[in-house]
Structures are given as C-alpha cells and as structure tokens.
Amino acid sequence: MSFDRSIKIAPSILSADFANFGQEIRAIEDQGADWVHVDVMDGHFVPNLTFGPPAVKAFRPHVKTVMDVHLMIAPVDPYIAAYAEAGADVITAHVEAGPHPHRTLQAIRAAGCKAGLALNPGTPASSVEYLLDMVDLVCLMTVNPGFGGQKFIHSQVEKVKQLRRMIGTRPVHIQIDGGVDPTTAPLVADAGADVLVAGSAVFKGGSVERPEVYGQNIRAIREAAQGR
C-alpha cells in the first residue's frame, strides 16, 4: 500500500446488499473502487450495530484492493488485534473513543496495520496535532457517525483545510466520511482531502446484476473531485 495524494474512492459496504457482500465487493472493485470501507459500529459509541471480526474475516477474501476498517467502537483497544487478524489493511479508531489515542495508534501499528484516527464533527483538528507523526490517515466525519445517508455538514470543510496545513509534507491521507457525493466531493478535495468514503452515493440505483451503475456513480464522484 504505497502513498500518494491522488483521489481515492472508498465505497462503504454499509450501503451494500447484506445478502451478497462477496459479490458486492467484487462488483465495486471491478467498477473502479480504490479501497473498500468497512464501518464497524457497536451500539454504544454510535447508535447502530454492524460488523464483528468474523464478518470482516469473511469479507477479506473478496477484497483485492485495500480493506479500510473504521472502528466506531469504545473501548477500542481490546479489539484491535481481532480486526487486524481478520485482515484489515487500515484500522481507524476515533480520537474520542478512549483517553490514550497514542497508545491506540501504537497497538494498531504493532498489529501490522496502517493506523488512522477519526474525528467527529464537534472535535477540533488540533486534537490530532501531536499525533500526526504516528498516523497514516486522519478521517474527518462530515456527518455524525452511526447511520448512512445523512446530509453533509458544511462546517467541516474548514477543518479539512486546517488539517491539511497541519499535515504539511507528512505522508498522511485525509479521508472524508459522510455525505460524499458529486456535489460535496469537490469541496473537500479542493480543501485537501484525498480519500472519499461514499455509501449511498455509490450504491444507489445499482446491484450485482447492474454493476455498471456503481461504475457510473464512482466515476461521477471522482471526476467531480478532480474538477473535470
């Protein structure tokens, strides 16, 4: 997994057909997805329940690109090893999920994964300033985490700009998660983001029988973010 700042589209399989995860993952990758985003929720840190380590392990053989696992759980540290063993390439934990985010990043790295930190909309960019030399990715939530299909929170665009300035020349991705579509993608890309998570905007209108729709949706987001 090499580093570059080109625009990457990471469809969230939270919006996929739950009865056909393997086929859905193969379909989005065949249609141009750069990463596969897996939203893990615990019903405690966020108001929803999704995928445990066995589910992530079942997804792994179908993912040929990058499996990007976003842990919206608290406590997070006790579960890092299990998600790493399940096959995550990137593990992102929330800075709000525990009192020791530095230790959390150490645990992710020790488990052999790329390390990410996520920030909720009300959390300032400065909360990760002293951790930037330990992260591979910072995920900015542009909705309140817990549900797909929410509206983009426009105040977060300024946070993207702040974070981009703080990162400087460090090889750190800025990921956007929430409300990404062809309208909002250029806002965050212009501000400095390079990994765009999109759920409903990728999967809407398509299916494993009509995967070309996924391709059209992915291209629309990518082209909007690239200013084409």
Side-chain angles (χ1 to χ4, degrees):
M1 182 179 160
S2 59
F3 179 83
D4 68 80
R5 295 196 190 281
S6 64
I7 294 296
K8 287 162 282 293
I9 309 300
S12 168
I13 60 170
L14 191 63
S15 295
D17 177 358
F18 278 31
N20 290 291
F21 275 125
Q23 290 177 283
E24 291 276 54
I25 289 168
R26 292 193 297 272
I28 56 175
E29 290 191 328
D30 288 346
Q31 293 295 323
D34 301 289
W35 294 11
V36 174
H37 189 80
V38 182
D39 286 308
V40 174
M41 306 180 186
D42 65 356
H44 167 69
F45 183 69
V46 294
N48 206 346
L49 283 168
T50 58
F51 311 117
V56 174
K57 185 177 181 179
F59 303 154
R60 178 71 261 186
H62 303 282
V63 178
K64 306 306 180 190
T65 56
V66 173
M67 188 157 70
D68 173 33
V69 177
H70 178 189
L71 300 182
M72 288 172 269
I73 65 177
V76 66
D77 290 6
Y79 301 97
I80 288 168
Y83 282 99
E85 290 167 8
D89 295 304
V90 181
I91 293 179
T92 297
H94 272 256
V95 71
E96 307 91 354
H100 306 295
H102 188 281
R103 181 179 296 161
T104 299
L105 293 171
Q106 287 178 317
I108 296 171
R109 288 280 180 84
C113 297
K114 297 290 187 181
L117 275 181
L119 283 68
N120 286 332
T123 302
S126 59
S127 65
V128 297
E129 185 171 4
Y130 295 103
L131 299 167
L132 289 175
D133 289 325
M134 289 195 65
V135 299
D136 300 289
L137 176 150
V138 178
C139 173
L140 297 185
M141 297 300 302
T142 43
V143 300
N144 286 297
F147 297 98
Q150 297 183 69
K151 290 186 177 179
F152 182 87
I153 301 173
H154 283 267
S155 64
Q156 302 306 296
V157 175
E158 182 57 35
K159 191 192 293 187
V160 180
K161 295 177 182 178
Q162 293 172 5
L163 183 60
R164 188 74 211 67
R165 290 192 294 268
M166 286 165 48
I167 287 171
T169 60
R170 295 178 179 90
V172 177
H173 296 291
I174 299 178
Q175 182 179 77
I176 303 299
D177 189 351
V180 171
D181 60 26
T183 302
T184 57
L187 303 178
V188 292
D190 289 348
D194 61 288
V195 182
L196 307 183
V197 176
S200 54
V202 166
F203 286 95
K204 67 179 180 182
S207 66
V208 294
E209 290 79 23
R210 299 183 63 216
E212 68 277 3
V213 177
Y214 298 158
Q216 293 165 8
N217 293 339
I218 289 170
R219 285 191 296 276
I221 296 168
R222 193 189 308 278
E223 290 171 4
Q226 292 174 335
R228 298 207 306 265

